[in-house]
């Protein structure tokens, strides 16, 4: 559902914010209050006359006009508490709280804060008495020549004096003559620093910072940095004076340190943090902090932002920067030139007509309005700084040239502007340099840039035992913190073979990360071990940061799927070893299992044991040299329509289908003790991998007619003329893993698997006569001829391609809807037996409703506050459920107790999830109860709802270990992850009919499923 956004402010910065937000497909309209002529009825953008100084009126306006987000541009409203007041009224607002905004609103506070937290800054003194300030200026053993009004002074409250007398006059002007009003009640006197001044901004979510490219503002009015100080006459980005290594220092020593310090002091900083820095001979020094985008820095930063600004803001507000860092356009520069009124920064006239603006935009140059208004349908000047003309080009010189051309095209009589924006950077770039490592083919800056990109991705894979923080010489993992008592370490290493060649040819690199992790993690899993951490090796001739970042992003995402931490890695740039565009990958995974839980348990495996196959996603990552040879024979290209796979797919898309990661599905089943052995079907196919986990005296008897073989294997056999033996010793033929279980456990394990994956009983173990084959695969030819889903007695759990009736599901929620999201994702699966037809909330405006709307699911709000009794409320919900033909109801964070009559009507069709292993710890505060009881195992339970709270028959449970040092919050977080697996599995079991509730209130498994296979 598209949002309406309100931007507070009326300058060039706010026009740039509105311009960038309007590009988001999530946004329906951008309102700007008060705005200017540039934001008046421009596409999605329009102005609003709502008062932004009266926060109560503004909050009501936002509610009445369905404004879903407010973005604050200038500093004054932030200091006045606009964010605090709107958030308290239930209106999402982007920016720091008034307490956090003191970093800008009070220079005295800011300097003391930096001193407390060891953030490098100039030496200073803070004074409320002008005589004391002057005494400090005259007696300091350093040039104390910078005088600042401590409060907000519209960017003009800083005087850089030439000598002590001028500095003292500045103090008197500020404190006695009240040049800046109450902003000058306190003055800060600082050491005059020498060096290059730069602006480094970042997004901060309160815990993590994501730096923007460094920019440089030009404060002086005239070319050559002459004339009086202004609010800013132009800016450019990025600044070549700030290397990638230096930017990383700024991130760690200034930006992250500031955010950490604010959090430590109980004032989390959420929003944009701006650090004005001086690059001195002694290192980085902070000149000032601003609590918002700079103006005109904003006008060069946002055109370089590749990501959707609306999504970036939501990720920042929701604490997700570590896993969703904004992306920026690389190898581009932006320059903006401010056009000011004659007389600025002193007295100036208004109402000067402006012409030629549309012609400038036709030149591919963006004009952001600042001090403009509309008078008699003519754009006229209404302020000091009137326009900012912004150009984005491949180089700084080209961007400056284009911006100056744009300025020349604007008709603005008497306009004041500079022609040398970025002159210091251009001089820096033109300096002669000796031979560099980069010129030999190794780009250290690119490598560091890659590290910056992947650090938050790695951090998002943190898990108990490891914080996944990159940067050390080696990674650390605490087995005790991960809950192990007597562990055995298990390791695996692998690559993805020549599947790389296909990815490189197709320019599709992201899915290789999952292939790499899967190949290693599945090997570790086959030993009965939990994958704990992963390391990658990426080698190339010339580092392409975007390609490498795509690969590592895929690795990080896959590590999350495997629940292992991305603990480290190596990027090797080796000119001459690889041809341009080529790279290689290797991975290394370490897991652990308790000593008694290792697989295979060879002594327990016996004749007659059952083999259960778990579906592969296709070829996975083995046999691609043979695949490529077959393709050569057929003369198909990777972009050709695929004669296999789903309609509309290309050959390349089908072949690059990522390898399945089985950790989430198999680990709970392996830990149950029912599985005697697990074979990962990797290189060597069916013939060589299953015998690795089976005693030599037994033979593997497989029946290929009992599982679904993807059509790509049939095509490969036919076009390559491959024998049965070649097929089964090269490819997985549709089985990614094979489990060995006792006959008595087979149906239970099969049901558990089918709740999340396609799985089949595919064979048995038999006595092997002397000289017999270790593996026999029967009916392979027939099955390949009829490749596609196997018949499974009509169970939609096992066949994703046969149309089947879906059970209509209604979900009741009260809040964020994280469990709802897990149910939605399950129902999206082609093989799912559930269709979510409606989501009902008892509270309006909650996040869960947005999740449903984004998934295209109908929503309804039944506000309990509007009903006189529980029975009336329940009756309304019942009518909505009947309206949508709902057959099964899931309570996903629904915070109302339902009446007995409602529960009885929906008996056997009403599911709930509880954060404990019922019957233990019923009711509220389940995690607290578990910790107080000292149990070592907790978890979650999905059950049918009965009249007694948390007393219904249990459908699915998943255990979660309780670690020493666990808090309620940390335990709840891990249980929530388990809920996101257990609830979809239970919904599927009930929707498919595999689980039913008997008349006496007990769970029964459908007899057809018990007789299957």
């Amino acid at each position: 559902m598209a949002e309406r956004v309100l931007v507070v402010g009326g300058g060039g910065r706010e026009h740039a914010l509105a311009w960038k937000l309007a590009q988001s497909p999530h946004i329906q309209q951008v309102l700007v209050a008060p705005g200017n002529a540039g934001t008046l009825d421009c596409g999605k953008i329009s102005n609003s006359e709502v008062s932004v100084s009266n926060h109560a009126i503004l909050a009501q306006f936002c509610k009445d006009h369905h404004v879903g987000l407010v973005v604050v541009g200038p500093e004054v409203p932030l200091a006045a508490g606009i964010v605090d007041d709107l958030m308290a009224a239930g209106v999402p607002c982007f920016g720091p709280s008034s307490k956090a905004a003191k970093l800008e609103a009070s220079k005295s506070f800011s300097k003391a804060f930096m001193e407390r937290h060891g953030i490098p800054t100039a030496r200073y003194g803070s004074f409320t008495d002008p005589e004391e300030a002057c005494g400090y200026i005259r007696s300091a053993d350093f040039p104390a020549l910078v005088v600042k009004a401590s409060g907000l002074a519209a960017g003009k409250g800083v005087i850089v004096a030439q000598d002590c007398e001028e500095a003292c006059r500045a103090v008197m002007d500020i404190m006695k003559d009240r040049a800046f009003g109450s902003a000058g009640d306190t003055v800060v006197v600082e050491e005059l620093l020498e060096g290059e001044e730069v602006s480094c901004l970042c997004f901060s979510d309160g815990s993590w910072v994501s730096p923007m490219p460094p920019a440089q503002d030009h404060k002086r009015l005239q070319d050559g940095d002459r004339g009086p100080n202004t609010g800013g006459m132009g800016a450019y980005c990025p600044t070549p004076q700030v290397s990638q290594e230096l930017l990383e220092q700024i991130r760690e020593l200034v930006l992250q340190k500031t955010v950490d310090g604010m959090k430590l002091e109980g004032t989390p900083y959420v929003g944009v943090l701006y650090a004005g820095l001086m690059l001195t001979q002694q290192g980085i020094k902070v000149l000032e902090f601003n609590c918002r985008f700079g103006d005109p820095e904003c006008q060069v930063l946002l055109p370089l932002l590749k990501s959707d600004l609306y999504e970036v803001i939501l990720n920042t507000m929701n604490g997700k920067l570590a896993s969703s860092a904004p992306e920026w356009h690389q190898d581009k520069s932006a320059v903006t030139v401010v056009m000011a009124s004659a007389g600025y920064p002193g007295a100036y006239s208004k109402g000067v007509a402006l012409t030629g603006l549309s012609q400038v935009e036709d030149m591919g140059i963006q004009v952001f309005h600042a001090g403009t208004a509309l008078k008699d349908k003519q754009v006229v000047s209404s302020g000091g700084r009137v326009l900012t003309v912004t150009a984005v080009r491949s180089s700084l010189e080209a961007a400056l040239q284009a911006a100056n051309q744009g300025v020349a095209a604007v008709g603005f009589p008497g306009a004041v502007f500079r022609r040398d924006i970025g002159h210091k950077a251009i001089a820096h770039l033109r300096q002669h340099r000796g031979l560099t490592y980069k010129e030999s083919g190794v780009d250290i800056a690119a490598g560091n840039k890659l590290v910056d990109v992947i650090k938050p991705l790695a951090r998002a894979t943190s898990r108990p035992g490891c914080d996944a923080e990159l940067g050390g010489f080696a990674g650390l993992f605490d087995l005790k913190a991960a809950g192990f008592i007597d562990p055995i370490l298990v390791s695996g290493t692998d690559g993805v073979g020549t599947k790389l060649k296909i990815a490189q040819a197709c320019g599709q690199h992201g899915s290789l990360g999952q292939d790499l992790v899967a190949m290693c993690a599945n090997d570790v899993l086959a030993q009965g071990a939990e994958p704990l951490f992963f390391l990658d090796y990426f080698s190339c001739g010339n580092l392409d940061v975007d390609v490498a970042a795509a690969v590592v992003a895929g690795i990080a995402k896959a590590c999350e799927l495997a629940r292992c931490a991305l603990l480290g890695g190596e990027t090797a740039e080796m000119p001459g070893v690889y041809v341009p565009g080529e790279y290689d990958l290797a991975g290394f995974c370490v897991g652990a299992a308790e000593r008694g839980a290792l697989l295979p348990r060879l002594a327990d495996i016996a004749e007659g044991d059952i083999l259960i196959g778990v579906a592969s996603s296709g070829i996975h990552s083995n046999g691609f040299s043979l695949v490529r040879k077959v393709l050569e024979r057929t003369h198909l290209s990777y972009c050709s329509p695929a004669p296999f796979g789903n309609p509309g797919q290309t050959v390349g898309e089908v072949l690059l289908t990522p390898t399945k990661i089985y950790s989430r599905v198999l680990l709970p089943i392996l830990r149950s003790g029912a599985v005697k052995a697990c074979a990962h079907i990797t290189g060597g196919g069916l013939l060589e991998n299953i015998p690795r986990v089976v005693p030599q005296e037994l033979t593997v008897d497989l029946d290929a007619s009992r599982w679904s073989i993807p059509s790509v294997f049939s095509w490969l056999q036919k076009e390559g003329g491959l024998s049965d033996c070649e097929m089964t010793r090269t490819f997985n033929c549709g089985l990614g893993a094979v489990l060995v279980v006792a006959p008595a456990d087979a149906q239970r394990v099969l049901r558990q698997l089918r709740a999340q994956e396609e799985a089949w009983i595919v064979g048995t173990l038999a006595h092997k006569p002397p000289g017999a084959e270790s593996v026999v695969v029967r009916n392979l030819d027939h099955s390949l001829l009829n490749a596609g889903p196997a018949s499974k007695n009509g169970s939609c759990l096992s066949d994703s391609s046969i149309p089947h009736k879906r059970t209509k599901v209604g979900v009741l929620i009260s809040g964020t809807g994280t469990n709802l999201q897990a149910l939605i994702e399950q129902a999206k699966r082609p093989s799912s037996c559930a269709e979510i037809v409606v989501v009902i909330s008892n509270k309006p405006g909650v996040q869960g409703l947005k999740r449903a709307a984004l998934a295209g699911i109908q929503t309804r709000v039944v506000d309990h506050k509007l009903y006189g009794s529980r029975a009336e409320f329940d009756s309304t919900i019942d009518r909505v459920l009947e309206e949508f033909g709902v057959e099964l109801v899931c309570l996903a964070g629904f915070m109302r107790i339902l009446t007995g009559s409602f529960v009885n009507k929906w008996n056997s069709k009403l599911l709930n999830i509880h954060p404990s292993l019922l019957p233990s710890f019923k009711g509220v505060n389940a995690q607290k109860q578990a910790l107080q009881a000292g149990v070592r195992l907790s978890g979650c339970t999905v059950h049918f709802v009965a009249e007694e709270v948390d007393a219904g028959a249990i459908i699915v449970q998943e255990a979660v270990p309780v670690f020493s040092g666990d808090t309620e919050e940390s335990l709840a977080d891990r249980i929530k992850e388990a809920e996101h697996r257990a609830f979809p599995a239970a919904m599927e079991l009930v929707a498919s009919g595999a689980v039913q509730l008997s008349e006496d209130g007990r769970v029964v498994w459908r007899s057809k499923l018990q007789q299957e296979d």
Side-chain angles (χ1 to χ4, degrees):
M1 186 167 62
E3 284 276 27
R4 180 174 283 119
V5 175
L6 173 70
V7 175
V8 173
R13 167 183 50 216
E14 288 72 40
H15 187 182
L17 285 165
W19 169 81
K20 190 65 180 178
L21 286 165
Q23 295 171 14
S24 171
H26 305 298
I27 289 181
Q28 172 191 10
Q29 184 183 23
V30 181
L31 300 173
V32 188
N36 54 45
T39 56
L40 181 66
D41 298 326
C42 178
K44 289 184 182 180
I45 306 170
S46 58
N47 290 342
S48 170
E49 295 181 359
V50 65
S51 168
V52 295
S53 57
N54 188 318
H55 300 167
I57 291 175
L58 181 59
Q60 191 58 51
F61 171 88
C62 291
K63 292 177 181 179
D64 293 343
H65 292 81
H66 306 291
V67 173
L69 174 67
V70 176
V71 179
V72 185
E75 64 275 15
V76 173
L78 293 170
I82 189 171
V83 174
D84 311 66
D85 294 340
L86 291 184
M87 295 288 276
V91 178
C93 186
F94 179 63
S97 66
S98 60
K99 286 186 178 179
K102 282 184 71 178
L103 278 175
E104 177 174 7
S106 171
K107 293 180 177 61
S108 177
F109 168 84
S110 177
K111 296 294 286 190
F113 174 86
M114 286 187 269
E115 198 169 50
R116 287 196 298 275
H117 294 281
I119 296 166
T121 187
R123 291 174 283 185
Y124 79 103
S126 181
F127 306 95
T128 56
D129 183 305
E131 298 300 334
E132 288 183 14
C134 289
Y136 180 81
I137 289 169
R138 294 188 177 100
S139 63
D141 58 358
F142 53 85
L145 299 176
V146 181
V147 181
K148 298 180 177 180
S150 180
L152 296 175
K156 301 184 180 77
V158 179
I159 293 92
V160 180
Q162 297 299 314
D163 52 40
C164 292
E165 293 310 312
E166 186 182 346
C168 286
R169 283 198 302 274
V171 169
M172 295 303 171
D173 287 344
I174 293 172
M175 303 193 78
K176 286 197 167 182
D177 297 342
R178 311 286 287 174
F180 303 110
S182 60
D185 288 348
T186 300
V187 297
V188 171
V189 178
E190 282 186 359
E191 173 185 11
L192 177 64
L193 299 175
E194 292 184 2
E196 190 88 27
E197 190 172 342
V198 295
S199 306
C200 287
L201 291 81
C202 69
F203 292 101
S204 166
D205 63 12
S207 298
W208 184 257
V209 297
S210 181
M212 304 180 200
Q216 188 172 62
D217 185 11
H218 293 64
K219 289 292 187 187
R220 297 282 189 168
L221 182 69
Q222 299 165 1
D223 287 353
D225 291 327
R226 292 177 292 109
N229 267 337
T230 68
M233 293 303 294
Y236 68 93
C237 178
T239 56
Q241 302 93 315
V242 179
S243 66
Q244 199 63 35
E245 293 91 338
L246 182 56
L247 185 60
E248 179 58 25
Q249 286 182 38
I250 292 167
R251 189 193 75 80
E252 292 181 1
L253 299 178
V254 176
L255 301 174
Q256 188 66 53
K257 220 170 186 181
T258 301
V259 170
D260 290 345
M262 293 297 282
K263 187 176 183 180
L264 191 66
E265 295 190 6
T267 310
Y269 191 100
V270 177
V272 171
L273 178 64
Y274 172 134
L277 306 171
M278 186 72 81
L279 310 181
T280 74
Q281 294 273 350
Q282 293 74 40
I284 311 157
K285 303 280 186 180
V286 178
L287 297 175
E288 64 174 354
F289 285 121
N290 292 331
C291 294
R292 33 71 194 184
F293 274 108
D295 187 343
E297 288 93 342
C298 186
Q299 290 92 304
V300 289
L301 284 164
L302 292 186
L304 295 179
L305 178 62
K306 191 175 182 180
S307 299
D308 183 320
L309 177 60
Y310 176 71
E311 292 179 0
V312 172
I313 288 173
L314 291 190
N315 288 332
T316 303
M317 295 176 69
N318 294 327
K320 294 182 178 179
L321 279 181
S323 58
S324 304
E327 293 183 29
W328 300 87
H329 287 291
Q330 309 298 330
D331 303 320
K332 287 186 179 180
S333 292
V335 170
T336 194
V337 177
V338 172
M339 300 185 73
S341 298
Y344 177 80
Y348 52 83
S349 58
K350 300 180 182 180
V352 178
L354 309 175
T355 59
L357 300 179
S358 59
Q359 291 92 316
V360 176
E361 297 198 356
D362 290 342
M363 297 163 64
I365 297 168
Q366 184 65 41
V367 179
F368 294 116
H369 291 234
T372 64
L374 203 64
K375 183 178 181 181
D376 299 327
K377 298 184 179 180
Q378 170 72 53
V379 177
V380 298
S381 65
S382 64
R385 292 190 295 170
V386 178
L387 301 171
T388 51
V389 180
T390 302
V392 177
R393 296 293 186 268
S394 60
S395 70
L396 183 61
E397 293 96 328
L400 175 57
Q401 184 180 9
N404 284 338
Q405 289 170 349
V407 168
V410 174
F412 183 4
V416 178
F417 54 88
R418 288 182 60 160
R419 297 171 179 80
D420 67 341
I421 302 301
H423 66 282
K424 291 182 180 178
I426 292 170
H428 176 85
L429 291 169
R430 289 175 178 171
Q431 286 177 0
H432 174 74
R433 294 186 182 88
L435 191 63
T436 65
Y437 201 8
K438 183 175 182 178
E439 289 166 328
S440 72
V442 179
D443 190 342
I444 295 174
N448 291 336
K449 185 177 182 182
L450 176 63
V451 172
D452 284 341
V453 172
I454 66 180
K455 270 187 175 182
L457 302 175
R459 194 177 194 182
T461 68
S462 297
R463 51 152 296 154
C466 171
D467 61 8
E469 190 68 56
L470 302 183
F473 288 103
L476 306 177
F477 195 96
D478 186 341
L479 286 167
K480 193 172 182 180
F484 288 94
I485 299 168
D486 184 22
I488 298 291
L489 291 179
V490 179
S491 65
T493 186
D494 212 331
V496 296
T498 56
K499 191 172 187 177
L500 280 166
K501 301 284 284 185
I502 299 176
Q504 290 160 6
C506 295
Q508 300 295 321
H509 311 280
S511 62
L512 290 177
Q514 180 165 329
D515 289 312
L516 187 66
V517 174
M519 295 300 287
C520 301
N522 290 344
D523 280 352
V524 167
L525 191 68
Q527 302 293 149
E530 174 187 359
L532 299 178
F533 61 86
F534 187 86
L535 300 100
D536 68 278
Y537 178 83
F538 181 98
S539 56
C540 59
N542 297 101
L543 180 61
D544 184 321
V545 174
D546 289 339
V547 170
V551 173
V552 180
I555 292 171
K557 191 175 289 186
C559 283
E560 291 187 69
L561 288 174
R563 293 190 190 134
C564 64
L566 179 54
L567 194 55
E570 169 71 7
T571 303
E573 190 172 19
M574 297 181 284
V577 176
Y578 298 91
V579 300
E582 286 195 352
Y583 56 86
D584 199 4
L585 284 175
F588 183 80
C589 184
V590 173
E594 296 295 351
R595 193 175 298 273
L598 286 170
L599 295 179
R601 301 200 309 270
L602 292 175
D604 294 342
I605 297 173
E607 182 179 354
D609 279 347
I610 302 297
L611 301 175
I612 296 178
V614 186
S616 70
S617 59
I619 301 175
H620 280 186
S621 299
N622 296 107
F624 274 91
S625 295
L626 180 55
V627 171
R628 289 166 56 236
K629 201 69 179 175
V630 173
L631 278 174
E632 284 178 22
R633 276 194 179 188
T634 62
H635 305 294
L636 284 175
S637 71
Y638 296 127
C639 59
S640 300
F644 41 79
N646 296 323
Q649 286 187 296
T650 65
V651 170
E653 287 170 343
V654 178
L655 296 181
L656 289 175
T657 302
T659 308
K660 281 188 178 179
I661 296 174
Y662 295 110
S663 306
R664 294 195 177 205
V665 178
L666 291 186
L667 198 57
I669 297 171
L670 299 183
R671 284 176 170 166
S672 72
V675 176
K676 300 180 181 182
C678 173
H680 176 207
I681 310 304
T682 178
L686 298 170
L687 297 189
E688 295 186 11
N689 285 292
I690 305 176
R692 295 164 71 178
V693 300
V694 172
Q696 291 183 0
E697 64 271 15
L698 297 177
T699 191
V700 175
D701 185 355
L702 297 174
D703 183 351
S705 67
R706 308 190 74 165
W707 75 82
S708 176
I709 300 180
S711 57
V712 64
F713 293 110
S714 175
W715 182 86
L716 284 168
Q717 186 198 39
K718 178 183 175 183
E719 297 298 332
L722 306 180
S723 67
D724 287 3
C725 179
E726 200 64 39
M727 288 295 296
T728 51
R729 77 176 181 186
T730 305
F731 301 116
N732 64 60
C733 295
L735 300 181
V738 173
L739 310 182
V740 180
V741 299
D745 295 323
Q747 289 300 328
R748 176 167 59 86
V749 171
L750 188 63
R751 286 194 296 268
Q752 290 174 304
L753 285 168
R754 283 182 168 172
Q756 299 181 66
E757 275 289 355
E758 286 190 291
W760 313 268
I761 290 176
V762 296
T764 59
L765 293 180
H767 173 70
K768 182 170 73 175
E773 298 291 338
S774 297
V775 179
V776 175
V777 184
R778 294 180 287 110
N779 299 316
L780 182 65
D781 274 337
H782 174 76
S783 298
L784 286 168
L785 283 172
N786 298 281
S791 173
K792 292 288 133 189
N793 296 334
S795 169
C796 53
L797 279 169
S798 61
D799 189 345
S800 63
S801 69
I802 298 175
H804 54 268
K805 178 184 179 296
R806 290 185 171 219
T807 299
K808 292 183 177 180
V809 178
V811 185
L812 307 190
I813 65 168
S814 295
T816 57
T818 54
N819 271 325
L820 166 65
Q821 189 64 43
L823 297 177
I824 290 172
E825 289 172 5
Q826 174 64 31
K828 282 181 180 176
R829 289 183 170 209
S831 60
S832 175
C833 292
E835 178 189 5
I836 300 176
V837 294
V838 65
V839 172
I840 304 171
S841 173
N842 67 306
K843 294 181 180 180
V846 296
Q847 183 65 27
L849 292 172
K850 295 183 181 180
R851 293 179 190 270
L854 287 171
I857 299 170
Q858 292 283 327
T859 61
R860 293 290 187 271
V861 175
V862 182
D863 192 338
H864 62 279
K865 296 177 183 177
L866 304 179
Y867 295 87
S869 67
R870 284 172 53 200
E872 186 184 355
F873 170 70
D874 286 5
S875 176
T876 305
I877 289 181
D878 186 45
R879 284 198 299 274
V880 176
L881 294 172
E882 288 184 348
E883 173 192 343
F884 284 88
V886 169
E887 302 165 284
L888 176 64
V889 181
C890 295
L891 307 182
F894 186 64
M895 306 305 290
R896 305 296 298 170
I897 297 176
L898 296 164
T899 58
S901 58
F902 184 95
V903 171
N904 289 330
K905 176 176 179 178
W906 289 91
N907 183 44
S908 79
K909 300 173 184 176
L910 189 59
L911 311 185
N912 188 34
I913 189 160
H914 183 73
S916 78
L917 295 177
L918 292 175
S920 299
F921 313 130
K922 295 181 179 180
V924 297
N925 302 320
Q927 293 90 357
K928 184 176 182 180
Q929 294 181 58
L931 292 173
Q932 288 176 341
V935 298
R936 306 312 302 159
L937 204 64
S938 186
C940 63
T941 303
V942 187
H943 60 91
F944 287 106
V945 176
E947 283 195 67
E948 183 184 343
V949 175
D950 298 330
I954 293 170
I955 305 165
V956 170
Q957 290 185 309
E958 182 166 334
V960 172
V962 180
F963 301 136
S964 59
D966 252 337
T967 62
E968 287 181 52
E969 184 180 14
S970 62
L971 180 58
D973 287 344
R974 290 203 310 285
I975 291 176
K976 182 62 70 176
E977 290 180 9
E979 290 180 3
H980 296 167
R981 297 185 296 275
F983 211 166
M987 176 183 73
E988 203 64 59
L989 288 169
V990 178
S992 69
V995 166
Q996 298 174 345
L997 188 67
S998 66
E999 290 184 3
D1000 60 358
R1002 291 186 301 169
V1003 163
V1004 292
W1005 296 90
R1006 196 176 69 183
S1007 58
K1008 272 189 180 182
L1009 194 58
Q1010 292 172 344
Q1011 294 167 3
E1012 187 185 327
D1013 292 311

